[in-house]
Amino acid sequence: MADKRYTTEFFLTAAEVNSQREMPLSRLVTTIIDTATAHANKLGIGFDRMISEGISWVLSRLTIDIAESPSVNRTYRMTTWIENVNRLFSDRNFEMTDAETGRIVIRAHSTWMAVNMSTRRPGDLTPIWKGFDMVDGAPSGIDNGGKLLPLSGSDFEMSYRFAVSDIDVNRHVTTRRYIDLITDLWPLETYDSMRISRFEVAFKHEARYGETATASRMAHAESPETATAQIAVADTPCCIARLHFSER
Amino acid sequence: MADKRYTTEFFLTAAEVNSQREMPLSRLVTTIIDTATAHANKLGIGFDRMISEGISWVLSRLTIDIAESPSVNRTYRMTTWIENVNRLFSDRNFEMTDAETGRIVIRAHSTWMAVNMSTRRPGDLTPIWKGFDMVDGAPSGIDNGGKLLPLSGSDFEMSYRFAVSDIDVNRHVTTRRYIDLITDLWPLETYDSMRISRFEVAFKHEARYGETATASRMAHAESPETATAQIAVADTPCCIARLHFSER
């Protein structure tokens, strides 16, 4: 039987980090997605197997608790496992440890949907799970986060037109570009004094080449270190995020 | 004695490619830089050793001949070696092969400068080469390209303000952002019918957070499939590139 838990190890080089000598949020999110993809491939439930059933994995919701920001010239281990699965959704969890200290630096929870590739409507995960006994059942250990609602106002917004370098193999905007646009809603000085300690994102709609997006943010009245951010094309939100900043 | 040639192997996944299912130009350039860095570290002339002499490596000039565009789900091998070195410059070459066919898909030539980290003026490479016998002497096998001159007009230009996600550990704009901005000067349709078969770039000046750049391009009158592109802040060019497109 395939391993219920899957682990990859990586060394964070100077070329990969941001001005604060830390792993950029967009890279953390893509590492989470890549680790999920590698594990799914190993279990035989990767994109190839999905396509033979006419369905595809789509990341719908991701919540990350960042206890320590991963920093330059250190080795980290990312472990993932499947918490549960039903006909429409699968929950997958992540734990990232500092390889030297053994401390858990990040915990994350993700929800993946099956999408029918012809209709672009929700697909059925039942066929790929039949005969498999791979679900670990262990929860993420974090609060998976409440519903993310579209912004109704904003403290700050900016406009961006999706260009060639933002487009992936499916002709949609990459996750990296969404996350970088959200990161860029705050000035460099914010990141010098604060760090993102929690990040939640819901993917709602796929944007395409040449569309102009509005990226906006609004701090929460009751807790100003928490904010909602949104990338929208016309009036359609493509993704909605909630960020919590902590003092360094 | 350390190896005169250094090789890394990588598999190009679907998550890493562009809309044409090929390696993005920015990723090719960063892979070239990362391979050079890894080899320099192995030879004992990496950034750490340089810093102890008060100097640092800066990529000044890069020319890439792309015989075949590296494409998705294939394994490639990138090999690098030092062609020569003098007090101020070192030339380093690259060859990328398709691991399955053994065909050379890419050849590249790069020139690196030493910069004195206190004065930001040209540094002296002599101390780090003393006692080393590592220079291979083999040329790149391509035309290293002529001088790249600033644009005096343009067919098309766009403006971009460097944001948090564009800034590296040294608080300068990343090479990736420069190359992506150059790539984005052409529409998606151009890349559907054409491919970049040769790319030359000269790095002139480091841009910083919050600066607004103008990216511009101009086709050559005598050969319209060749163009010069430039990223400038105010009137200072940060990098100048020459691209040659070929029909697919």
Side-chain angles (χ1 to χ4, degrees):
Chain A
M1 204 181 68
D3 286 346
K4 289 192 172 187
R5 287 181 183 237
Y6 174 84
T7 299
T8 50
E9 196 173 284
F10 61 94
F11 180 78
L12 198 57
T13 69
E16 296 168 317
V17 297
N18 60 19
S19 332
Q20 290 76 39
R21 310 174 69 83
E22 293 168 353
M23 192 177 199
L25 189 59
S26 61
R27 189 164 185 102
L28 174 57
V29 171
T30 53
T31 300
I32 283 174
I33 295 172
D34 290 346
T35 308
T37 304
H39 188 208
N41 286 338
K42 205 173 162 213
L43 290 171
I45 54 165
F47 287 103
D48 290 348
R49 170 80 173 89
M50 299 285 281
I51 284 167
S52 74
E53 303 286 345
I55 54 180
S56 182
W57 285 120
V58 173
L59 177 58
S60 167
R61 191 73 167 75
L62 175 65
T63 302
I64 314 176
D65 262 6
I66 307 170
E68 296 175 31
S69 300
S71 67
V72 70
N73 293 336
R74 295 190 77 84
T75 301
Y76 293 95
R77 275 188 208 113
M78 179 78 88
T79 298
T80 184
W81 66 94
I82 296 165
E83 182 179 348
N84 59 52
V85 62
N86 60 35
R87 203 170 66 81
L88 293 176
F89 292 103
S90 176
D91 290 306
R92 179 184 273 284
N93 298 320
F94 302 84
E95 206 171 83
M96 193 166 131
T97 54
D98 181 314
E100 198 184 312
T101 63
R103 279 201 302 268
I104 295 171
V105 292
I106 282 162
R107 290 183 206 266
H109 170 265
S110 63
T111 302
W112 299 73
M113 272 177 63
V115 167
N116 182 302
M117 293 180 71
S118 333
T119 63
R120 303 304 292 175
R121 302 279 309 151
D124 182 0
L125 282 169
T126 317
I128 68 154
W129 295 105
K130 215 186 313 196
F132 279 75
D133 172 27
M134 71 190 65
V135 178
D136 191 286
S140 65
I142 61 169
D143 168 10
N144 294 344
K147 206 166 159 59
L148 290 166
L149 297 172
L151 272 186
S152 52
S154 73
D155 298 330
F156 174 75
E157 59 180 58
M158 58 183 186
S159 172
Y160 180 81
R161 184 172 181 271
F162 295 117
V164 168
S165 66
D166 303 321
I167 307 298
D168 72 9
V169 70
N170 297 313
R171 302 239 158 185
H172 299 137
V173 172
T174 62
T175 303
R176 191 188 79 191
R177 174 39 81 198
Y178 288 137
I179 308 294
D180 277 342
L181 279 178
I182 291 169
T183 302
D184 292 347
L185 283 167
W186 282 266
L188 193 58
E189 299 75 48
T190 299
Y191 295 100
D192 284 339
S193 60
M194 312 280 271
R195 65 179 197 86
I196 297 169
S197 53
R198 183 174 163 92
F199 181 70
E200 297 172 52
V201 60
F203 296 96
K204 297 291 196 183
H205 178 78
E206 287 157 342
R208 290 166 191 273
Y209 172 71
E211 290 181 334
T212 297
T214 303
S216 40
R217 65 169 163 88
M218 176 131 99
H220 292 203
E222 69 283 12
S223 119
E225 69 286 358
T226 303
T228 299
Q230 177 179 279
I231 313 293
V233 170
D235 289 333
T236 306
C238 298
C239 69
I240 307 174
R242 187 156 44 212
L243 298 88
H244 185 84
F245 289 89
S246 297
E247 301 267 346
R248 286 188 178 275
Chain B
M1 201 184 66
D3 285 346
K4 288 192 173 187
R5 288 181 183 236
Y6 174 84
T7 299
T8 51
E9 195 173 285
F10 62 92
F11 179 79
L12 198 57
T13 69
E16 296 167 317
V17 297
N18 60 18
S19 332
Q20 290 75 41
R21 309 175 70 82
E22 291 167 356
M23 193 177 198
L25 188 60
S26 60
R27 189 165 186 102
L28 175 57
V29 171
T30 52
T31 299
I32 284 173
I33 295 171
D34 290 346
T35 307
T37 304
H39 189 208
N41 287 338
K42 205 174 163 212
L43 290 171
I45 54 163
F47 287 101
D48 290 348
R49 171 82 173 88
M50 300 283 282
I51 283 167
S52 74
E53 302 286 345
I55 53 179
S56 181
W57 285 119
V58 172
L59 177 59
S60 167
R61 190 74 166 77
L62 175 66
T63 302
I64 315 176
D65 263 5
I66 307 171
E68 297 176 29
S69 299
S71 67
V72 70
N73 293 334
R74 295 189 76 85
T75 301
Y76 294 95
R77 273 187 209 114
M78 180 77 87
T79 297
T80 184
W81 66 94
I82 296 165
E83 182 178 348
N84 59 52
V85 63
N86 60 35
R87 204 171 65 81
L88 293 176
F89 293 102
S90 176
D91 289 308
R92 179 184 272 285
N93 298 320
F94 302 85
E95 206 172 83
M96 192 166 131
T97 54
D98 180 315
E100 198 184 314
T101 64
R103 279 200 303 267
I104 295 172
V105 293
I106 282 161
R107 289 185 208 266
H109 169 265
S110 62
T111 302
W112 298 73
M113 272 175 64
V115 169
N116 182 304
M117 292 180 74
S118 334
T119 63
R120 305 304 292 175
R121 303 278 310 150
D124 182 1
L125 282 168
T126 316
I128 68 155
W129 296 105
K130 215 185 317 195
F132 278 77
D133 171 27
M134 70 189 67
V135 178
D136 192 285
S140 66
I142 62 171
D143 168 10
N144 294 344
K147 206 166 159 61
L148 290 165
L149 297 173
L151 272 186
S152 52
S154 74
D155 298 331
F156 174 75
E157 59 180 58
M158 59 185 186
S159 172
Y160 179 81
R161 184 173 180 269
F162 295 117
V164 167
S165 66
D166 303 320
I167 307 299
D168 71 9
V169 70
N170 297 313
R171 302 240 159 185
H172 299 135
V173 172
T174 62
T175 303
R176 191 187 81 193
R177 173 40 80 199
Y178 288 137
I179 308 294
D180 277 343
L181 278 177
I182 291 169
T183 302
D184 292 347
L185 283 167
W186 282 267
L188 194 57
E189 299 74 48
T190 299
Y191 295 100
D192 285 337
S193 59
M194 312 281 270
R195 65 179 197 86
I196 297 169
S197 53
R198 182 173 164 92
F199 180 70
E200 296 173 54
V201 60
F203 296 95
K204 297 291 194 182
H205 178 78
E206 286 158 343
R208 290 166 190 272
Y209 172 71
E211 290 181 335
T212 297
T214 303
S216 40
R217 65 168 162 89
M218 176 132 99
H220 292 202
E222 69 283 13
S223 120
E225 69 285 359
T226 302
T228 300
Q230 178 180 276
I231 313 292
V233 170
D235 289 332
T236 307
C238 298
C239 70
I240 307 174
R242 187 156 46 212
L243 298 89
H244 185 84
F245 288 90
S246 297
E247 301 266 347
R248 287 188 176 276

